[in-house]
Amino acid sequence: MRRSLQLLACWALVSLLSGCAALGGKRPVSGEDLTQTRRIGVVSLLGDEFHGLRIGTTVFQNARYSVKVPEWQIDAYATDKAIELLRQRSRFEATALDRRDLVIERLRVDGPQQLLAIAARQGVDRLLVIRPGTATSQERVLFAPGYGMMERSFLNLMRRCVYAAYRIDVLDVKTGQEIAWEWGGDFPCEYGETPQLPFLPGLEYYSAEQREGIRLGLLRRIDKSMADALSALALIPEPR
């Protein structure tokens, strides 16, 4: 199955970013780094590809598809949500990274350097990168990095959800070092959340009303997971 250049570029950052990511451990922003943070730039690289996944009791029951949904503007939504939370609940100034000079295809070659150069020109000292990601162990590995809808069946047990599988990296713009990272929430989805729709072979097989329900379910998942992730990163207070 063909994967978009954008997702390949995002996944390539895994091996290019330094720090605790290579060790597999999550890390919040340290107290020292927090005191040195004034202005945070935010960029989402989730892309516009929606994944439909069905995982059956046997591999012969598995199916998947990917479809472009640029009209959903998920990158803009994720960026705006992170900025909204930072502005409301932190002492930092937060701004969207201007993407006009960003060449997505170059990320595979340049790694974070292109993003860091843009961030430096825009006067931010920390860069928050939202990108597709999923763990290589336990149940997370079942999700395609990014976002989509999952149906999982095992014998008579059926579970469905709309999911967002991403991670957030925090980079020091001056040094280029990754100073913290966190999954986008404790788990990519919550089984049983609406909409509860059966797996169909493509997004076009759902009605317009059902597709809108899927989109809204994804936005709700981003809302919750973004708040959880930024709290875990110590960039905003823990919810009361």
Side-chain angles (χ1 to χ4, degrees):
M1 180 181 60
R2 185 184 62 84
R3 296 176 178 175
S4 69
L5 282 174
Q6 186 165 17
L7 284 179
L8 284 171
C10 296
W11 299 339
L13 290 178
V14 173
S15 60
L16 293 168
L17 292 172
S18 61
C20 57
L23 302 176
K26 298 181 292 184
R27 182 173 67 186
V29 181
S30 70
E32 181 181 357
D33 284 320
L34 286 174
T35 62
Q36 298 175 8
T37 301
R38 298 291 182 270
R39 191 164 186 255
I40 298 177
V42 180
V43 62
S44 171
L45 301 175
L46 293 178
D48 59 9
E49 200 162 46
F50 179 94
H51 304 282
L53 305 171
R54 181 177 67 194
I55 300 176
T57 303
T58 70
V59 295
F60 303 105
Q61 297 170 313
N62 294 349
R64 63 186 297 166
Y65 65 85
S66 297
V67 61
K68 299 283 190 176
V69 288
E71 67 278 6
W72 289 11
Q73 298 186 40
I74 297 303
D75 276 332
Y77 187 86
T79 298
D80 290 346
K81 188 61 186 180
I83 290 172
E84 174 190 340
L85 289 166
L86 290 167
R87 287 178 177 174
Q88 289 179 350
R89 299 170 56 184
S90 79
R91 60 178 177 80
F92 312 116
E93 180 183 352
T95 184
L97 194 73
D98 189 332
R99 297 170 57 118
R100 285 178 294 182
D101 296 332
L102 180 63
V103 182
I104 292 293
E105 292 80 3
R106 291 292 305 174
L107 289 177
R108 294 184 64 189
V109 178
D110 300 336
Q113 297 309 312
Q114 184 185 178
L115 292 170
L116 290 166
I118 295 172
R121 290 197 296 270
Q122 295 175 205
V124 299
D125 46 58
R126 302 286 187 250
L127 180 60
L128 191 151
V129 183
I130 305 162
R131 62 182 179 84
T134 189
T136 56
S137 61
Q138 300 180 350
E139 197 172 349
R140 275 183 179 269
V141 75
L142 300 176
F143 296 86
Y147 54 89
M149 189 162 60
M150 153 87 77
E151 177 181 275
R152 187 181 183 193
S153 63
F154 181 75
L155 300 178
N156 293 324
L157 177 64
M158 180 71 71
R159 294 189 288 183
R160 298 185 176 111
C161 68
V162 174
Y163 76 88
Y166 65 95
R167 57 177 283 166
I168 297 178
D169 299 301
V170 184
L171 284 73
D172 181 290
V173 173
K174 184 177 181 180
T175 66
Q177 295 298 304
E178 181 186 57
I179 60 174
W181 78 273
E182 177 62 62
W183 295 120
D186 291 334
F187 196 66
C189 77
E190 185 173 332
Y191 293 119
E193 279 186 336
T194 57
Q196 288 292 293
L197 297 172
F199 177 88
L200 298 178
L203 199 57
E204 70 274 16
Y205 289 87
Y206 297 95
S207 68
E209 182 179 1
Q210 289 172 326
R211 289 195 299 272
E212 178 63 6
I214 295 169
R215 186 185 73 85
L216 293 176
L218 173 59
L219 301 188
R220 289 193 297 269
R221 173 51 31 192
I222 291 174
D223 287 349
K224 183 179 187 306
S225 60
M226 189 68 67
D228 290 344
L230 294 181
S231 294
L233 285 165
L235 291 175
I236 64 174
E238 293 283 348
R240 295 180 179 179

